[in-house]
Amino acid sequence: MTDTSTQPLPEGLGSDFITGLHATLSGAADALGDLDRRAGDGDFGTNVRTAMKLATGNLEADAPTTYRQWVSAMSMAWLGVGGTSGPLFGMFFRDLAKAGEEGAVPTLAQLADALAAGQAVVQKYGEAEVGDKTMIDSLAPAIAALREAIEAGAEPAAALADAERAAVEAARATADSTARRGRASYVGEVSKGVIDPGAAAMALVIGAARAAVDGGEVETGWIS
């Protein structure tokens, strides 16, 4: 059996991932903002739009050519956004940009390792655990599903599809919990019944990575 986890992902992964993610988050900004208005401080939609505007500027100015450069442009955009979510997403993308060797497209295994590094840095500075109703709630199960699929010898597109399904299911499940971290924790039981916008956004990130490999679309209709 060929070990597909150690083969480079498609050559255009960086550009396809980031341009697809940019379009997906831009299109979902209103829905994500609505979630935050219902159980938070209501600024997440604005933060997403600001990050995508900054990303557009970075991409036009830097004209990235490698995976690392494309993802770094997204990292820098989020780091330019205020609040809590901006720095956390910025640091997450900074670690995701480090997947694989400089100038090369990462392998699936390297991408999984970079996602795990991103989770670690978000948890280090955000101090969130699974169940706290944050972006970690969808990121952690996505990584677990991805590693399980890699271990089973799945093709990259199928493995990332497993990760996306796990992330979406986990993000939707946050509606059943009460927030214990972030601004949503201030509203207590009010956050119950509402999907965490950070978890939803992270599921879209995983979906964009999958779409960059299989050429498909990212479904956003489940966000409400």
Side-chain angles (χ1 to χ4, degrees), residues 13 45 78 88 103 118 156 167 175 181 188 200:
L13 179 71
W78 278 101
L88 291 178
R181 302 294 303 179

Side-chain angles (χ1 to χ4, degrees), residues 27-49:
D30 286 348
L32 293 170
D34 181 61
L35 293 178
D36 202 35
R37 278 190 293 275
R38 292 159 57 194
D41 57 9
D43 66 353
F44 191 63
T46 300
N47 290 347
V48 170
R49 283 187 284 272

Side-chain angles (χ1 to χ4, degrees), residues 198-210:
M202 186 57 76
L204 299 183
V205 172
I206 303 300
R210 184 271 307 156

